[in-house]
Amino acid sequence: MRLIIMGPPGAGKGTVAPGVCQATGCRHISTGDMFRSNIKNQTVLGQEAQGYIKKGQLVPDELTIRMVRQTLLEDCRGDQFLLDGFPRNVSQAEALDSFFAGEERGLDAVILLVVPDEQIIRRLSGRMVCPECGESYNINSRRPAREGICDVCGNKLIVREDDREETVKSRLEVYHSQSEPLADYYDRKGLLLKIDGSKSPEAVTQSVADALRGI
Ligand code: AMP
Protein backbone atom coordinates (compact mmCIF):
# COMPACT_ATOMS: atom_id res chain seq x y z
CA MET A 1 0.00 0.00 0.00
CA ARG A 2 0.98 3.62 -0.48
CA LEU A 3 -0.29 5.58 2.49
CA ILE A 4 0.04 9.03 4.05
CA ILE A 5 -0.78 9.92 7.65
CA MET A 6 -1.33 13.61 8.35
CA GLY A 7 -2.60 15.85 11.12
CA PRO A 8 -1.33 18.65 13.38
CA PRO A 9 1.87 18.21 15.42
CA GLY A 10 1.05 15.99 18.40
CA ALA A 11 -2.00 14.44 16.70
CA GLY A 12 -0.53 10.98 17.32
CA LYS A 13 0.85 10.22 13.84
CA GLY A 14 4.04 8.69 15.22
CA THR A 15 2.09 6.75 17.85
CA VAL A 16 -0.40 5.22 15.44
CA ALA A 17 2.07 4.61 12.58
CA PRO A 18 3.81 1.45 13.94
CA GLY A 19 0.46 -0.36 14.35
CA VAL A 20 -0.61 0.62 10.82
CA CYS A 21 2.75 -0.53 9.42
CA GLN A 22 2.53 -3.83 11.25
CA ALA A 23 -0.96 -4.46 9.89
CA THR A 24 -0.18 -3.45 6.30
CA GLY A 25 3.50 -4.35 5.86
CA CYS A 26 4.28 -0.73 5.04
CA ARG A 27 7.56 0.94 5.92
CA HIS A 28 7.22 3.96 8.23
CA ILE A 29 8.87 7.01 6.70
CA SER A 30 8.81 10.00 9.06
CA THR A 31 10.42 13.16 7.68
CA GLY A 32 10.64 14.62 11.22
CA ASP A 33 12.60 11.51 12.37
CA MET A 34 14.83 11.72 9.28
CA PHE A 35 15.66 15.37 10.00
CA ARG A 36 16.29 14.66 13.70
CA SER A 37 18.62 11.81 12.82
CA ASN A 38 20.50 14.06 10.37
CA ILE A 39 20.79 16.75 13.06
CA LYS A 40 22.07 14.21 15.61
CA ASN A 41 24.65 12.91 13.13
CA GLN A 42 25.62 16.48 12.15
CA THR A 43 25.20 15.87 8.43
CA VAL A 44 25.08 18.76 5.95
CA LEU A 45 21.33 18.23 5.58
CA GLY A 46 20.93 18.28 9.38
CA GLN A 47 22.84 21.55 9.65
CA GLU A 48 20.69 23.11 6.92
CA ALA A 49 17.42 21.91 8.47
CA GLN A 50 18.18 22.65 12.14
CA GLY A 51 17.45 26.39 12.17
CA TYR A 52 14.02 25.98 10.57
CA ILE A 53 13.00 23.15 12.90
CA LYS A 54 14.06 25.09 16.01
CA LYS A 55 11.76 27.94 15.00
CA GLY A 56 8.85 25.64 14.19
CA GLN A 57 9.05 26.48 10.48
CA LEU A 58 9.02 24.13 7.52
CA VAL A 59 12.36 23.05 6.07
CA PRO A 60 12.52 24.38 2.47
CA ASP A 61 10.72 22.19 -0.06
CA GLU A 62 13.78 21.62 -2.21
CA LEU A 63 15.71 19.91 0.63
CA THR A 64 12.71 17.98 1.90
CA ILE A 65 11.51 16.73 -1.48
CA ARG A 66 15.01 15.55 -2.44
CA MET A 67 15.32 13.61 0.84
CA VAL A 68 11.90 11.93 0.47
CA ARG A 69 12.36 11.19 -3.23
CA GLN A 70 15.58 9.33 -2.53
CA THR A 71 14.07 7.28 0.30
CA LEU A 72 10.87 6.43 -1.54
CA LEU A 73 12.27 5.56 -4.90
CA GLU A 74 15.54 3.94 -3.82
CA ASP A 75 14.86 2.31 -0.44
CA CYS A 76 11.16 1.45 -0.86
CA ARG A 77 11.27 1.09 -4.62
CA GLY A 78 8.11 3.21 -4.70
CA ASP A 79 5.89 0.84 -2.76
CA GLN A 80 4.68 -0.29 0.69
CA PHE A 81 5.17 2.94 2.59
CA LEU A 82 3.42 5.05 5.19
CA LEU A 83 4.55 8.65 4.86
CA ASP A 84 4.36 10.55 8.16
CA GLY A 85 5.01 14.30 8.05
CA PHE A 86 5.17 14.51 4.26
CA PRO A 87 3.67 16.18 2.30
CA ARG A 88 3.14 19.27 4.43
CA ASN A 89 2.03 21.67 1.72
CA VAL A 90 0.47 21.52 -1.71
CA SER A 91 3.80 21.84 -3.60
CA GLN A 92 5.16 18.81 -1.73
CA ALA A 93 1.95 16.91 -2.58
CA GLU A 94 2.36 17.79 -6.25
CA ALA A 95 6.00 16.65 -6.11
CA LEU A 96 4.88 13.35 -4.58
CA ASP A 97 2.32 12.87 -7.37
CA SER A 98 5.09 13.50 -9.90
CA PHE A 99 7.18 10.63 -8.43
CA PHE A 100 4.47 8.24 -9.66
CA ALA A 101 3.69 10.05 -12.92
CA GLY A 102 3.27 7.56 -15.72
CA GLU A 103 2.14 4.78 -13.37
CA GLU A 104 -1.50 3.71 -13.35
CA ARG A 105 -1.50 3.45 -9.56
CA GLY A 106 -1.01 6.38 -7.20
CA LEU A 107 -1.65 6.65 -3.48
CA ASP A 108 -4.10 4.26 -1.81
CA ALA A 109 -5.28 6.48 1.07
CA VAL A 110 -4.52 9.57 3.16
CA ILE A 111 -5.32 9.24 6.86
CA LEU A 112 -6.12 12.58 8.53
CA LEU A 113 -6.05 12.64 12.36
CA VAL A 114 -8.30 15.44 13.60
CA VAL A 115 -7.49 16.89 17.05
CA PRO A 116 -8.53 20.33 18.43
CA ASP A 117 -5.74 22.88 19.07
CA GLU A 118 -6.35 23.05 22.85
CA GLN A 119 -5.79 19.31 23.15
CA ILE A 120 -2.63 19.55 20.98
CA ILE A 121 -1.12 22.20 23.25
CA ARG A 122 -1.93 20.11 26.34
CA ARG A 123 -0.43 16.98 24.76
CA LEU A 124 2.78 18.59 23.52
CA SER A 125 3.47 20.39 26.79
CA GLY A 126 3.69 16.96 28.47
CA ARG A 127 5.60 15.11 25.74
CA MET A 128 9.02 13.57 26.37
CA VAL A 129 10.94 11.55 23.82
CA CYS A 130 13.91 9.22 23.78
CA PRO A 131 16.69 10.80 21.70
CA GLU A 132 18.10 7.32 20.97
CA CYS A 133 15.17 5.18 19.82
CA GLY A 134 12.53 7.90 19.26
CA GLU A 135 9.93 6.36 21.65
CA SER A 136 7.45 9.00 22.84
CA TYR A 137 5.95 9.41 26.35
CA ASN A 138 3.57 11.84 28.03
CA ILE A 139 3.51 12.97 31.66
CA ASN A 140 -0.31 13.08 31.54
CA SER A 141 -1.14 9.89 29.67
CA ARG A 142 1.84 7.61 29.04
CA ARG A 143 4.50 7.81 31.72
CA PRO A 144 7.63 5.64 31.51
CA ALA A 145 8.00 2.94 34.19
CA ARG A 146 11.03 4.79 35.63
CA GLU A 147 10.78 8.59 35.79
CA GLY A 148 12.67 10.21 32.88
CA ILE A 149 14.02 6.91 31.50
CA CYS A 150 13.05 5.20 28.23
CA ASP A 151 11.26 1.85 28.76
CA VAL A 152 12.60 0.53 25.45
CA CYS A 153 16.32 1.33 25.55
CA GLY A 154 17.01 2.78 29.03
CA ASN A 155 18.23 6.16 27.80
CA LYS A 156 17.42 9.49 29.44
CA LEU A 157 14.27 11.16 28.03
CA ILE A 158 14.30 14.75 26.77
CA VAL A 159 11.77 17.43 25.85
CA ARG A 160 12.02 18.12 22.10
CA GLU A 161 13.29 21.63 21.52
CA ASP A 162 10.40 22.31 19.13
CA ASP A 163 7.83 21.21 21.76
CA ARG A 164 8.37 24.44 23.77
CA GLU A 165 5.21 26.53 24.00
CA GLU A 166 6.17 29.34 21.59
CA THR A 167 7.43 26.89 18.96
CA VAL A 168 4.30 24.76 19.29
CA LYS A 169 2.20 27.85 18.49
CA SER A 170 4.28 28.49 15.32
CA ARG A 171 3.98 24.84 14.30
CA LEU A 172 0.20 24.97 14.71
CA GLU A 173 0.02 28.17 12.64
CA VAL A 174 2.11 26.54 9.91
CA TYR A 175 -0.17 23.50 10.05
CA HIS A 176 -3.36 25.55 9.64
CA SER A 177 -2.01 27.80 6.89
CA GLN A 178 0.06 25.33 4.85
CA SER A 179 -0.80 21.73 5.71
CA GLU A 180 -4.55 21.86 6.37
CA PRO A 181 -5.33 22.79 2.72
CA LEU A 182 -3.93 19.36 1.81
CA ALA A 183 -7.04 17.74 3.30
CA ASP A 184 -9.12 19.31 0.50
CA TYR A 185 -6.47 18.41 -2.07
CA TYR A 186 -6.75 14.71 -1.15
CA ASP A 187 -10.50 14.81 -0.50
CA ARG A 188 -11.04 15.95 -4.08
CA LYS A 189 -9.04 12.91 -5.21
CA GLY A 190 -11.29 10.64 -3.08
CA LEU A 191 -8.37 9.51 -0.91
CA LEU A 192 -9.09 11.17 2.46
CA LEU A 193 -9.96 9.08 5.55
CA LYS A 194 -10.89 11.45 8.39
CA ILE A 195 -10.27 9.95 11.85
CA ASP A 196 -11.08 11.41 15.27
CA GLY A 197 -7.59 11.60 16.81
CA SER A 198 -8.74 12.96 20.17
CA LYS A 199 -9.35 9.49 21.66
CA SER A 200 -6.83 7.08 23.25
CA PRO A 201 -3.95 5.76 21.07
CA GLU A 202 -5.55 2.27 21.08
CA ALA A 203 -8.95 3.63 19.98
CA VAL A 204 -7.39 5.78 17.23
CA THR A 205 -5.27 2.87 15.96
CA GLN A 206 -8.43 0.73 15.82
CA SER A 207 -10.37 3.42 13.92
CA VAL A 208 -7.53 3.72 11.39
CA ALA A 209 -7.39 -0.08 10.93
CA ASP A 210 -11.19 -0.18 10.39
CA ALA A 211 -11.05 2.67 7.87
CA LEU A 212 -8.20 1.01 5.93
CA ARG A 213 -10.10 -2.27 5.78
CA GLY A 214 -12.75 -0.41 3.79
CA ILE A 215 -10.48 0.72 0.95
P1 AMP B 1 7.49 16.34 12.95
O1 AMP B 1 8.28 15.38 13.77
O2 AMP B 1 6.77 15.66 11.81
O3 AMP B 1 6.56 17.20 13.79
O4 AMP B 1 8.53 17.33 12.25
C1 AMP B 1 9.39 18.16 13.02
C2 AMP B 1 9.85 19.33 12.18
O5 AMP B 1 10.60 18.85 11.03
C3 AMP B 1 8.74 20.18 11.58
O6 AMP B 1 8.24 21.14 12.49
C4 AMP B 1 9.48 20.84 10.40
O7 AMP B 1 10.33 21.88 10.83
C5 AMP B 1 10.35 19.68 9.91
N1 AMP B 1 9.64 18.90 8.88
C6 AMP B 1 9.19 17.62 8.99
N2 AMP B 1 8.58 17.22 7.85
C7 AMP B 1 8.65 18.28 7.00
C8 AMP B 1 8.19 18.52 5.68
N3 AMP B 1 7.50 17.59 4.98
N4 AMP B 1 8.45 19.73 5.11
C9 AMP B 1 9.14 20.66 5.77
N5 AMP B 1 9.57 20.53 7.03
C10 AMP B 1 9.34 19.34 7.66
Side-chain angles (χ1 to χ4, degrees):
M1 275 187 170
R2 293 170 170 174
L3 302 172
I4 292 175
I5 187 159
M6 59 173 284
K13 303 183 290 291
T15 306
V16 168
V20 175
C21 288
Q22 207 178 10
T24 56
C26 285
R27 174 178 162 150
H28 181 200
I29 299 179
S30 155
T31 44
D33 286 350
M34 287 161 87
F35 283 130
R36 280 184 288 278
S37 149
N38 274 278
I39 291 170
K40 194 171 150 219
N41 295 322
Q42 299 184 336
T43 66
V44 175
L45 174 63
Q47 281 162 5
E48 285 173 323
Q50 192 164 26
Y52 298 99
I53 295 178
K54 255 192 191 169
K55 287 188 237 153
Q57 297 169 353
L58 293 187
V59 176
D61 284 349
E62 193 214 325
L63 292 180
T64 310
I65 291 168
R66 205 182 330 130
M67 175 178 82
V68 173
R69 188 173 201 284
Q70 188 175 345
T71 306
L72 274 191
L73 300 187
E74 291 175 16
D75 301 352
C76 297
R77 303 218 176 93
D79 221 346
Q80 299 288 87
F81 59 79
L82 172 70
L83 273 173
D84 161 2
F86 184 94
R88 254 179 157 97
N89 58 30
V90 173
S91 352
Q92 292 183 6
E94 287 168 351
L96 180 62
D97 289 343
S98 76
F99 299 167
F100 307 121
E103 290 183 30
E104 262 177 40
R105 216 183 114 219
L107 292 163
D108 293 299
V110 176
I111 302 155
L112 170 66
L113 300 182
V114 183
V115 182
D117 281 6
E118 313 80 71
Q119 196 172 347
I120 292 294
I121 291 167
R122 232 179 304 128
R123 279 187 188 177
L124 291 187
S125 65
R127 179 157 81 172
M128 284 176 306
V129 294
C130 175
E132 280 308 309
C133 70
E135 193 71 10
S136 187
Y137 301 86
N138 196 290
I139 49 169
N140 306 310
S141 55
R142 185 172 180 251
R143 300 179 84 99
R146 277 190 301 151
E147 195 71 30
I149 303 293
C150 178
D151 291 347
V152 179
C153 66
N155 271 284
K156 219 169 151 200
L157 302 176
I158 57 161
V159 173
R160 260 171 59 173
E161 210 167 356
D162 60 347
D163 279 349
R164 296 179 206 285
E165 197 179 327
E166 274 319 297
T167 319
V168 167
K169 285 190 185 141
S170 315
R171 289 165 69 202
L172 274 173
E173 274 168 30
V174 168
Y175 176 75
H176 290 305
S177 63
Q178 300 198 44
S179 308
E180 221 164 36
L182 281 178
D184 280 342
Y185 180 88
Y186 287 122
D187 203 16
R188 282 197 297 273
K189 291 176 183 278
L191 291 170
L192 196 71
L193 302 174
K194 251 189 188 178
I195 306 289
D196 177 1
S198 65
K199 296 187 247 152
S200 70
E202 295 75 22
V204 178
T205 305
Q206 189 57 53
S207 309
V208 172
D210 292 345
L212 284 176
R213 227 170 281 127
I215 64 167

